[in-house]
Amino acid sequence: MEKGKTIRIALAGNPNSGKTSIFNRITGAHQKVGNWPGVTVEKKTGFTDFKGYRLEVVDLPGTYSLTAYSLEERIARRYIIEEKPDVVINVIDAGNLARNLYLTTQLLEMGADVVLDLNMWDEVCKSGADLDLEKLEELLGTPVALTVGHRGEGVDTLLNMVVELVENQSDRHRHVPITYGSHLEHVVKGLATLIEKGSSVSNRYPPRWLAVKLLEGDEEIEKIFSDDNSANAELKGAVEAACEHIHKTTGSDPERVISENRYGYIDGALREVIREKPRDRMELSRQIDLVLTNRLLGYPVFLVLMWLLFQLTFSLGAYPMNWIETGVEWLAGLGTTAIPPGLVHELVVDGVIGGVGSVIVFLPNIMILFLGVAFLEDTGYMARAAFITDRIMHFMGLHGKSFIPMLMGFGCSVPAIMTTRTLESRKDRVLTTLLIPLMSCSARLPVYILFAGVFFPDSAGNVIFLIYLTGIVVAFLIGRFFCKILFRGEVAPFVMELPPYRWPTLLGLFIHMWERAKIYLKKMGGVILVASVVLWFLGAFPRNVDYSVDYDAQINSLESVGTPEVETQIAELEAAKAAESIEKSYIGRLGHLVEPVIRPLGFGWRMGVSLLTGFVAKEVVISSMGILYQVGEETEESESLKEALGDPRHGITPLIALGFMLFVLLYTPCVVAVIAVRREIGTRWMFFNVLYQVVLAWMVAFLVYQGGMLLGLG
Ligand code: GDP
Ligand code: MG
């Protein structure tokens, strides 16, 4: 290959082997994210210039194998076979060689030019393992690089090996056949020869690989052959005979025998390569798992961890929340003095600062929640959570794999819904997507924090925990229900990955937290700002209100008295005037329009308006309330919202507050999430989703309120 040419590189590896970390290190800022043709699986591509070459890199989907069972596997292998990248960098978790090399054997068999990247090398060093790397290079016929992906160590050496490989200077590279043990080997060879002789297909694919795939009963490859009539009949017969032979001699099916032999091959190789057994990282993990994934202990530990997380979110978050509140108040004060009274003043102070300010105070809570989730994820606990929930997920016809998207739903439904792409069956994707919005996303947290803080001040953390729990329980019941009436069918089995526990790095935690917090902040600047302004407009117009009382005259006459006693009277009059003005505004009319529907829930029109506006983004529920309830109390912006909600004048009781929180939990997700639902599962399901959630929310709030009243709790 000449200098200045492009080298096309594909990154292949198991999930969590560090592919994306390596990809990021290689390509830096030159990345493009799109979809693989025809499917909604993310495709990351990027490039960099290295030693006079242009390296174009593709981050293939993470897979354990390259069969045709899952979408990811099909994408990865099609890319390697059909696009023929110049080099495949096979990223491997070096602490877990035996399992990771399984994919390697298949890459080699496909005839790819592989550079083996033993990633997570830091952990291997820590474990005290001693590997004979030259031996490994020799046995597999591939250059071996050592990297620490998230720190970028060894990436240059890795790229050097890639360049060396294409320049053909690498004497470490030769195509080594993966052998299958004497019995099987014989069969594979025979078939490969037959394929090579009789079929044009073998011009395009390595015959040995085709032979193995046919033995495995790979449908995609079978189809390629049936499209190619020349060799079909004879080959088909030979494959059938071979399969039967394997079946008879081993007593199990060829696919299994092949996979066992691959592991045998790897075991054999590793026995020569590993000089010193590592202090087994998996062993310690296994010990911990005896408790954490225990049939009895697993669930309570999970619940306690979640409970702790929400307690922390609420109690620890209260401190920075106060600081931000003070900041917002200061800003509002500044606006009040700096801008002369009038429309602009109202727009800035009430609309922008009031609306965005009442949402931004919850940022610390959300950051703490995200930090906690990042911690649980990075340590490897989340994978355990998926594991222990597998059996429960079966209850609604799903399995543990759907647990991760659902769990992500606690952050934000939108990315969560997008990760349902990784699920294999359409039924799983649809059902999981429908249930994700029931996982209380972080946008709803401000509503709970506010209401629980005002109406359940002594047990706010518990109430919030309970709300989240309700979401989960309802999801289970609904899931079960949908599974029974909408979908029937088998649950496809799959392996639950249990990576070893890791102590997370501080930087890693913050990066993962920040990735999510960024979404929240972006929303604040965009959707919520716009919504706040629109809301303010709807609340401030029309201007020429027909007041029932001539407030101005009364205030004027009181002001002329000028004694301190009338001060409170004046304040009350001003509040009443503002209240009437907003009631007669567009937003007030809207509220009165929906009032009959929500009256059986105990909600007033202001709550109705807030819920309507919450469709834009759930945080906007709070912004609306900020605008609707803070009328006439322009000092101490956010403090007054709490006071106003608790004010008996508005008639919100703890029972109503509870119903309201549940309604916010259960009703239609925000518009962005609805769009995501449509993109993933289609328009009809989107409408279904919106409808079922509104009905569900209404019914639950109804039951809570009416039931509570019957019990005399109101
Ligand atoms: P992918 O699923 O293969 O794309 O893997 P990622 O690149 O997302 O990495 C998975 C996790 O492993 C992340 O938390 C990384 O920070 C971490 N990681 C990546 N490379 C290394 C490494 O070399 N050593 C250690 N200790 N962690 C790593
Ligand atoms: Mg990745």
Side-chain angles (χ1 to χ4, degrees):
M1 179 159 303
E2 291 163 44
K3 286 266 176 202
K5 279 261 173 83
T6 298
I7 301 178
R8 288 158 55 247
I9 300 173
L11 288 174
N14 291 10
N16 282 317
S17 56
K19 260 184 311 82
T20 304
S21 306
I22 299 282
F23 175 80
N24 289 341
R25 286 292 173 166
I26 297 179
T27 59
H30 306 293
Q31 298 187 359
K32 219 175 71 194
V33 180
N35 276 351
W36 291 92
V39 291
T40 49
V41 174
E42 192 173 84
K43 177 183 189 182
K44 273 189 167 171
T45 53
F47 69 88
T48 187
D49 293 316
F50 185 81
K51 296 224 161 147
Y53 290 98
R54 184 186 175 87
L55 309 185
E56 285 185 4
V57 192
V58 175
D59 192 8
L60 294 177
T63 62
Y64 297 105
S65 177
L66 289 172
T67 54
Y69 287 129
S70 81
L71 199 52
E72 282 74 16
E73 294 186 13
R74 282 202 299 273
I75 290 170
R77 84 175 200 189
R78 245 185 235 158
Y79 187 82
I80 293 166
I81 281 283
E82 267 150 39
E83 306 287 322
K84 297 205 190 336
D86 298 311
V87 177
V88 174
I89 297 179
N90 179 199
V91 182
I92 275 184
D93 173 357
N96 208 345
L97 275 180
R99 181 209 274 240
N100 278 254
L101 285 174
Y102 191 74
L103 180 69
T104 314
T105 59
Q106 297 179 61
L107 290 170
L108 292 175
E109 207 159 57
M110 287 161 78
D113 284 329
V114 176
V115 173
L116 205 58
D117 173 18
L118 301 193
N119 192 35
M120 314 236 172
W121 190 248
D122 52 331
E123 306 213 342
V124 176
C125 293
K126 258 190 265 167
S127 77
D130 183 11
L131 302 181
D132 185 346
L133 296 171
E134 272 168 32
K135 191 87 189 179
L136 185 63
E137 288 186 329
E138 207 176 282
L139 285 173
L140 297 180
T142 62
V144 172
L146 309 176
T147 57
V148 182
H150 61 312
R151 293 207 294 264
E153 287 166 23
V155 171
D156 266 6
T157 321
L158 172 68
L159 293 183
N160 263 324
M161 287 184 177
V162 169
V163 170
E164 250 177 57
L165 188 68
V166 291
E167 286 179 345
N168 250 333
Q169 293 170 357
S170 175
D171 51 7
R172 287 176 285 206
H173 183 63
R174 63 197 172 93
H175 285 279
V176 176
I178 306 299
T179 47
Y180 284 94
S182 51
H183 294 300
L184 201 58
E185 191 55 37
H186 186 69
V187 177
V188 172
K189 264 201 192 118
L191 271 185
T193 318
L194 195 60
I195 291 169
E196 204 164 3
K197 271 200 309 220
S199 164
S200 59
V201 178
S202 65
N203 297 336
R204 286 185 281 148
Y205 311 102
R208 254 188 91 89
W209 181 68
L210 291 171
V212 173
K213 287 291 134 187
L214 286 177
L215 286 174
E216 284 179 336
D218 188 294
E219 280 170 16
E220 234 176 42
I221 302 299
E222 276 169 3
K223 194 171 167 308
I224 291 176
F225 275 101
S226 54
D227 291 347
D228 172 50
N229 292 319
S230 54
N232 200 12
E234 192 194 354
L235 188 61
K236 219 173 186 173
V239 171
E240 264 165 32
C243 285
E244 198 170 308
H245 174 74
I246 294 172
H247 214 108
K248 259 200 238 136
T249 50
T250 62
S252 59
D253 61 301
E255 198 182 353
R256 175 144 171 208
V257 176
I258 288 171
S259 122
E260 281 169 1
N261 272 291
R262 270 196 203 117
Y263 277 118
Y265 178 87
I266 294 165
D267 262 0
L270 286 183
R271 205 154 297 175
E272 291 187 53
V273 169
I274 297 177
R275 280 192 290 234
E276 178 113 20
K277 266 249 172 228
R279 286 189 303 278
D280 197 346
R281 197 151 49 95
M282 295 307 278
E283 187 49 40
L284 179 64
S285 290
R286 257 177 234 125
Q287 300 285 336
I288 301 176
D289 275 342
L290 283 182
V291 179
L292 292 190
T293 57
N294 181 282
R295 272 163 190 271
L296 291 175
L297 288 172
Y299 301 112
V301 169
F302 173 68
L303 284 179
V304 166
L305 282 175
M306 292 297 132
W307 178 82
L308 264 178
L309 184 58
F310 291 116
Q311 288 295 334
L312 270 183
T313 302
F314 189 78
S315 49
L316 211 61
Y319 299 98
M321 188 170 164
N322 278 333
W323 307 332
I324 296 185
E325 259 176 12
T326 315
V328 171
E329 278 163 27
W330 175 81
L331 209 62
L334 199 70
T336 308
T337 46
I339 309 169
L343 266 188
V344 179
H345 173 108
E346 282 179 39
L347 172 64
V348 173
V349 176
D350 300 343
V352 176
I353 301 180
V356 176
S358 51
V359 175
I360 204 165
V361 293
F362 298 102
L363 187 63
N365 303 96
I366 281 158
M367 303 257 270
I368 293 170
L369 181 66
F370 287 162
L371 191 65
V373 170
F375 180 79
L376 294 178
E377 254 175 6
D378 289 7
T379 50
Y381 180 74
M382 281 308 188
R384 271 68 190 181
F387 184 80
I388 60 172
T389 48
D390 191 46
R391 257 173 307 144
I392 317 180
M393 300 296 279
H394 282 284
F395 176 74
M396 39 186 181
L398 292 172
H399 46 58
K401 212 168 179 178
S402 291
F403 181 76
I404 299 293
M406 287 176 74
L407 203 67
M408 283 181 64
F410 287 116
C412 174
S413 307
V414 177
I417 289 168
M418 276 154 58
T419 53
T420 59
R421 291 172 188 188
T422 56
L423 305 176
E424 264 121 67
S425 79
R426 169 146 177 98
K427 178 206 119 193
D428 286 9
R429 286 196 295 274
V430 172
L431 189 52
T432 310
T433 301
L434 289 178
L435 297 178
I436 282 172
L438 297 175
M439 303 299 114
S440 189
C441 72
S442 57
R444 284 170 256 187
L445 186 60
V447 180
Y448 310 148
I449 291 176
L450 180 68
F451 273 79
V454 172
F455 295 98
F456 304 92
D458 300 327
S459 51
N462 290 332
V463 169
I464 295 173
F465 177 63
L466 205 74
I467 300 277
Y468 274 82
L469 205 61
T470 308
I472 297 169
V473 171
V474 169
F476 273 99
L477 298 177
I478 293 281
R480 175 85 181 174
F481 180 64
F482 284 173
C483 173
K484 285 268 180 258
I485 60 160
L486 297 178
F487 315 94
R488 274 168 225 163
E490 294 289 298
V491 177
F494 81 104
V495 178
M496 299 289 289
E497 148 95 317
L498 285 182
Y501 287 101
R502 284 209 172 88
W503 199 244
T505 62
L506 213 55
L507 186 66
L509 286 182
F510 276 97
I511 289 174
H512 287 146
M513 176 193 74
W514 181 242
E515 278 169 355
R516 296 189 168 113
K518 217 166 51 186
I519 300 176
Y520 190 78
L521 279 174
K522 263 197 200 141
K523 235 163 129 186
M524 204 90 66
V527 173
I528 295 175
L529 178 63
V530 172
S532 294
V533 171
V534 171
L535 279 170
W536 165 81
F537 173 82
L538 291 176
F541 288 85
R543 304 295 282 177
N544 52 341
V545 176
D546 230 352
Y547 289 109
S548 57
V549 183
D550 191 351
Y551 292 107
D552 288 342
Q554 291 194 18
I555 291 171
N556 275 339
S557 67
L558 281 171
E559 268 172 352
S560 59
V561 179
T563 59
E565 296 84 68
V566 295
E567 288 284 305
T568 48
Q569 260 177 294
I570 292 178
E572 268 168 25
L573 276 171
E574 270 170 354
K577 177 187 170 190
E580 193 172 336
S581 139
I582 205 156
E583 194 160 359
K584 290 186 172 162
S585 70
Y586 292 123
I587 211 169
R589 293 179 205 175
L590 201 64
H592 285 296
L593 209 66
V594 295
E595 205 179 1
V597 183
I598 55 172
R599 196 178 296 131
L601 316 179
F603 300 171
W605 65 271
R606 288 185 177 84
M607 294 166 105
V609 172
S610 309
L611 290 173
L612 281 180
T613 57
F615 184 55
V616 176
K618 295 268 165 118
E619 298 96 330
V620 176
V621 171
I622 297 286
S623 316
S624 306
M625 294 196 143
I627 292 165
L628 290 172
Y629 283 96
Q630 271 167 232
V631 288
E633 302 166 56
E634 270 175 17
T635 51
E636 295 181 55
E637 291 297 319
S638 38
E639 196 53 40
S640 68
L641 177 55
K642 284 187 204 157
E643 281 166 9
L645 283 178
D647 191 331
R649 189 159 55 97
H650 292 302
I652 307 176
T653 63
L655 185 64
I656 294 175
L658 187 65
F660 188 76
M661 286 189 272
L662 288 170
F663 196 96
V664 169
L665 165 74
L666 299 172
Y667 88 120
T668 320
C670 70
V671 64
V672 189
V674 170
I675 292 168
V677 170
R678 170 155 180 263
R679 203 171 40 205
E680 298 302 326
I681 59 175
T683 310
R684 273 179 33 217
W685 282 117
M686 174 193 78
F687 281 117
F688 177 78
N689 192 343
V690 169
L691 197 72
Y692 105 76
Q693 285 204 258
V694 173
V695 172
L696 179 70
W698 193 91
M699 290 195 325
V700 170
F702 181 82
L703 284 178
V704 166
Y705 180 64
Q706 299 294 345
M709 293 301 276
L710 276 181
L711 295 173
L713 298 175

